[in-house]
Amino acid sequence: MKSKTSVNEQYLSTSNRITGVVVMGIGVLGLLDIVLEWRTAGGLMVAGLIGILMVLAYTGLVRPSINLSPEALTIRNHFRDHQVPWNKITDVDVTDILRVHTELGKIRCPGVQLVMRDMRKQRVGGRKLKADSSISRADFVVDRIESHMQQYGPTAEGEVVTTWARPELSIIAVLALVALLGEFFR
């Protein structure tokens, strides 16, 4: 009996993820300093605020991605997820970031974006773009999505489903409550 192989693909901004991890690492150092040196209600408030900034760095820089599977295209934006069946996609293009067109409108996908330097080079027409430029990478993702649309679109079923990123929003709410309690008891 053969095991089922995964045909899922994920695309994201590597530079954003690196920046997000660095910011969150600095936040962890700040939290460690608060735990070791500043164990007061004011420290609790600051720890809550640092925690909120770390979650915002995660949602803004690390979380956005595009996931392709035989069932649907999953777009993970900052605070919302969109599950788009292949038959509901009408077009895909790239302006500054990837845009997926559906019957209901456009869904912007910050997980695949263009670097301004590459956009300027393309506009000026001067120096050639490298093979690994953000434009060639974005074009590759567009080609992969169009390929999936042709391959899985005729048999796809379902509707576009949009959900909120509940874990991230819940963590922000809890950390805001901790910061408020720290300020109240200060």
Side-chain angles (χ1 to χ4, degrees):
M1 185 169 177
K2 285 187 176 180
S3 66
K4 201 174 198 180
T5 59
S6 174
V7 291
N8 295 339
E9 300 174 29
Q10 182 179 34
Y11 301 100
L12 43 96
S13 174
T14 305
S15 61
N16 281 359
R17 284 210 169 186
I18 292 169
T19 304
V21 168
V22 167
V23 168
M24 291 186 321
I26 292 169
V28 166
L29 291 175
L31 288 176
L32 184 63
D33 182 50
I34 289 170
V35 167
L36 295 175
E37 297 292 331
W38 196 15
R39 288 174 262 164
T40 64
L44 186 63
M45 180 195 67
V46 172
L49 293 176
I50 290 174
I52 290 172
L53 291 175
M54 288 173 59
V55 174
L56 290 176
Y58 170 78
T59 59
L61 296 170
V62 177
R63 187 177 193 280
S65 65
I66 309 294
N67 299 309
L68 285 66
S69 70
E71 296 80 32
L73 171 68
T74 303
I75 301 165
R76 288 182 54 155
N77 285 346
H78 304 297
F79 288 108
R80 292 172 59 179
D81 295 337
H82 305 278
Q83 186 93 12
V84 185
W86 294 111
N87 62 336
K88 298 296 180 183
I89 300 173
T90 57
D91 192 23
V92 179
D93 64 2
V94 178
T95 54
D96 56 337
I97 63 174
L98 184 73
R99 297 184 312 175
V100 175
H101 302 264
T102 66
E103 299 158 350
L104 304 173
K106 297 176 197 164
I107 302 172
R108 295 174 53 88
C109 314
V112 176
Q113 54 188 317
L114 300 181
V115 177
M116 291 304 292
R117 175 187 64 231
D118 292 339
M119 291 173 62
R120 281 192 301 270
K121 283 182 185 177
Q122 184 183 37
R123 202 173 330 141
V124 172
R127 292 172 280 166
K128 287 190 170 187
L129 291 171
K130 295 180 182 175
D132 62 343
S133 71
S134 64
I135 292 174
S136 61
R137 180 167 167 74
D139 288 339
F140 174 77
V141 174
V142 168
D143 290 343
R144 292 300 301 148
I145 291 173
E146 288 173 345
S147 170
H148 276 68
M149 287 169 50
Q150 291 173 356
Q151 185 175 1
Y152 300 115
T155 59
E157 297 176 358
E159 295 297 321
V160 177
V161 177
T162 301
T163 57
W164 288 96
R166 288 188 185 111
E168 291 84 355
L169 292 171
S170 299
I171 292 169
I172 289 173
V174 167
L175 290 171
L177 181 62
V178 166
L180 284 173
L181 288 173
E183 177 62 24
F184 179 73
F185 289 116
R186 198 164 82 143

